[in-house]
Amino acid sequence: MAVEPPTIPQRYALVDTKGIPKEIVISITASGNDLLRYTFRQWISAKPPLKLAVDTLQILPEGGYLTFSREELIRQIKNTNEVFNEQFGSSNESRIALFPDYVSFSYSPLVEKRIGVFFGGQVDLGEQGNRVLVSLTLIPDEVTAFGRKTLIDSLMTHQGLISTERTPLMINNERVSSYRVALIAPNGIRLSPDSVTVTTEVAPLKYNSFVTNNIMVRNLEEGYSIRLFPSSIKISYLALDNVSPSDIAAQIHPYVDVNEITEGSNKLKIKLQNAPDELHMIQLEPDAVEFIIEKE
């Protein structure tokens, strides 16, 4: 007879289930007529598995160990299998033997812990360019984890957060979108809820450019002057539509460094100091200038 693990109250978890066999062998010694009738009826009847029933009054708050004796197993087998019970339930002439003749397991109480959630996947904006992910939020950003204390403690020590599934989100809309994403529950831990809503906002990027001749020179010795060719450069960038071009122009300060002059070269690389975070692409044309240094 197949055996299914017992169902215990939700606030507890099975710990050691090695003592629960996958099946119990039932040996019956009875008259030939009884065995024949039982065998025939079993052929045409369903064979339900033994679903071990736990008396909740035996469950201890702190957890413990439960054992089903031979007598208790026979009682539950009779309650589970109607044909078996009708044929041998009240017979004093039949003898029933079981292997194994007892079933045991341990259980422990579950604890709960509020744990933060993070997005563990990737956002795929597709092949369309000049778009950017503006925001990504998770609702809720915390879930309740139920599990044995040792498992919860290990989770907090080694991971500390719960991750969403790592399947990429394909986003083709330049607007706010919501997706339901499952969470990855560590082994032995139940999450409530088991999924979160991921809300994303995608916006288009706008192309802008301006020309500046305000190129600073660093580390030029006193008594010398420098001329740059060309003396002005074009700065192009991508930014959100709400970014002010005048503010960006005021924050960008290109410069060249005389200390970077190398023998045989007549060009200096143009660099930027503190490029604004609002920019998602920045390009200088040209990105290097020729120079002449003269003594005053």
Side-chain angles (χ1 to χ4, degrees):
M1 190 175 191
V3 179
E4 292 185 1
T7 300
I8 60 176
Q10 287 191 351
R11 62 181 182 276
Y12 295 90
L14 299 178
V15 179
D16 185 3
T17 59
K18 295 179 181 178
I20 303 177
K22 293 183 178 180
E23 61 181 18
I24 289 179
V25 177
I26 306 171
S27 176
I28 306 170
T29 303
S31 69
N33 288 335
D34 287 342
L35 290 175
L36 181 61
R37 282 193 299 269
Y38 174 69
T39 302
F40 178 75
R41 294 183 63 187
Q42 281 289 84
W43 281 344
I44 61 176
S45 302
K47 299 177 179 62
L50 174 58
K51 183 72 172 181
L52 296 171
V54 176
D55 183 359
T56 56
L57 295 178
Q58 295 181 325
I59 300 293
L60 302 176
E62 67 276 12
Y65 203 81
L66 282 180
T67 298
F68 293 86
S69 65
R70 171 186 172 277
E71 291 74 18
E72 177 62 20
L73 288 176
I74 292 177
R75 186 186 71 82
Q76 294 206 23
I77 289 171
K78 292 177 179 179
N79 290 339
T80 300
N81 191 316
E82 181 180 352
V83 176
F84 184 94
N85 183 50
E86 290 177 356
Q87 194 66 47
F88 303 110
S90 58
S91 175
N92 294 323
E93 298 179 357
S94 60
R95 295 194 303 272
I96 301 173
L98 305 178
F99 180 80
D101 58 0
Y102 73 94
V103 170
S104 61
F105 64 91
S106 60
Y107 64 96
S108 66
L110 300 180
V111 298
E112 61 179 77
K113 180 78 174 180
R114 295 291 293 175
I115 301 180
V117 177
F118 73 95
F119 181 69
Q122 294 180 338
V123 174
D124 190 341
L125 300 181
E127 297 180 356
Q128 182 179 348
N130 296 350
R131 298 193 306 155
V132 67
L133 179 67
V134 177
S135 65
L136 185 148
T137 57
L138 304 179
I139 301 176
D141 58 3
E142 280 188 340
V143 295
T144 302
F146 298 90
R148 303 201 313 268
K149 185 177 185 304
T150 53
L151 294 178
I152 295 294
D153 290 345
S154 177
L155 171 63
M156 297 306 298
T157 300
H158 298 100
Q159 188 169 322
L161 294 172
I162 297 295
S163 173
T164 62
E165 284 189 342
R166 293 177 171 82
T167 304
L169 284 183
M170 302 293 296
I171 303 177
N172 297 314
N173 301 314
E174 292 179 354
R175 56 182 177 84
V176 176
S177 304
S178 294
Y179 310 85
R180 198 68 183 173
V181 180
L183 299 174
I184 300 176
N187 290 334
I189 292 179
R190 187 174 75 253
L191 302 176
S192 179
D194 59 3
S195 61
V196 295
T197 298
V198 179
T199 300
T200 60
E201 181 181 358
V202 175
L205 294 173
K206 183 179 179 181
Y207 177 86
N208 271 296
S209 64
F210 65 94
V211 175
T212 181
N213 58 5
N214 186 22
I215 304 175
M216 296 183 294
V217 179
R218 294 184 178 181
N219 298 312
L220 182 64
E221 293 184 12
E222 291 187 11
Y224 290 86
S225 63
I226 186 171
R227 286 186 289 167
L228 303 178
F229 305 94
S231 59
S232 62
I233 60 172
K234 180 181 179 181
I235 300 177
S236 305
Y237 62 87
L238 288 174
L240 295 175
D241 190 55
N242 60 357
V243 174
S244 170
S246 59
D247 290 343
I248 294 299
Q251 296 178 57
I252 292 182
H253 305 292
Y255 70 91
V256 294
D257 191 337
V258 174
N259 286 344
E260 295 180 358
I261 295 176
T262 58
E263 185 176 354
S265 173
N266 65 338
K267 286 190 174 183
L268 279 173
K269 188 78 173 178
I270 297 179
K271 297 183 177 181
L272 295 180
Q273 178 181 353
N274 301 326
D277 295 334
E278 300 95 315
L279 305 188
H280 296 271
M281 184 283 293
I282 189 166
Q283 184 179 15
L284 307 180
E285 299 179 43
D287 60 358
V289 292
E290 296 182 354
F291 64 91
I292 294 177
I293 296 179
E294 299 173 319
K295 191 171 183 179
E296 296 178 347

